[in-house]
Amino acid sequence: MATITLKGNSIETCGTLPAKSSQAPDFKLVKTDLSEVTLADYKGKKIVLNIFPSIDTPVCAASVRCFNKAAGELANTVVLCVSADLPFAHTRFCETDGLKNVESLSVFRSPAFGKDYGVTIATGPIAGLLSRAIVIIDTNGQVAYTEQVPEITQEPNYDAAMAALK
């Protein structure tokens, strides 16, 4: 388990992020059109997993906007924004903000994702949602970078994540 905080109060995740240089765990997540996508669908691309509790919070929204801007400048890279939100919430947010360089994915049919990546929050008032984390997967499907954000209300280290993509 990882211990993180929510407004200074300790909460725990169900595990830890995958180890650097390990094979990224497979996943099956739901796209905004309700179809399913797996890790294999992105074979040969660099993948940014921008994982967060809910698109309807200011920090989560900021991370999606930031990665949307950064993704537009990177070749052979896809940013997957993953949360427990329903695909309809992701669609509403991205359409309202005009975001086209990120893919929004939901775990609502796939609780295994949170367990496999160690990001399901296990304790506290938001138990069941995903913690704020970044996982970068290289073109060979191996974990190149991870960040478990220590405080849910703070943004990830965008510079470190972007440096890992170069």
Side-chain angles (χ1 to χ4, degrees):
M1 285 203 237
T3 300
I4 57 177
T5 58
L6 172 63
K7 297 181 180 177
N9 298 305
S10 290
I11 56 177
E12 295 178 329
T13 65
C14 70
T16 58
L17 295 173
K20 188 175 176 183
S21 299
S22 68
Q23 194 65 31
D26 196 11
F27 56 75
K28 185 186 294 184
L29 299 170
V30 180
K31 296 169 64 171
T32 57
D33 66 2
L34 302 178
S35 65
E36 293 181 338
V37 66
T38 67
L39 179 60
D41 292 318
Y42 301 101
K43 185 176 181 171
K45 292 187 179 253
K46 293 178 187 174
I47 302 166
V48 177
L49 293 177
N50 177 26
I51 305 164
F52 51 84
S54 175
I55 194 68
D56 288 321
T57 64
V59 177
C60 299
S63 73
V64 174
R65 288 182 189 110
C66 182
F67 280 118
N68 179 74
K69 184 175 188 270
E73 301 167 1
L74 298 174
N76 199 39
T77 302
V78 61
V79 177
L80 307 179
C81 296
V82 182
S83 74
D85 293 301
L86 292 176
F88 316 114
H90 279 281
T91 298
R92 174 189 40 78
F93 177 81
C94 288
E95 285 179 356
T96 299
D97 276 40
L99 305 180
K100 307 234 185 258
N101 296 325
V102 295
E103 290 186 40
S104 297
L105 301 173
S106 176
V107 299
F108 88 98
R109 285 188 208 146
S110 303
F113 176 88
K115 292 176 188 164
D116 293 344
Y117 279 83
V119 294
T120 299
I121 297 171
T123 62
I126 58 172
L129 296 179
L130 304 179
S131 65
R132 185 175 321 288
I134 304 298
V135 177
I136 295 181
I137 302 168
D138 69 18
T139 56
N140 297 314
Q142 292 191 323
V143 176
Y145 170 87
T146 64
E147 178 190 6
Q148 174 62 73
V149 179
E151 164 59 50
I152 289 280
T153 62
Q154 78 185 55
E155 293 182 55
N157 184 339
Y158 300 115
D159 291 338
M162 297 309 294
L165 288 166
K166 296 181 180 181

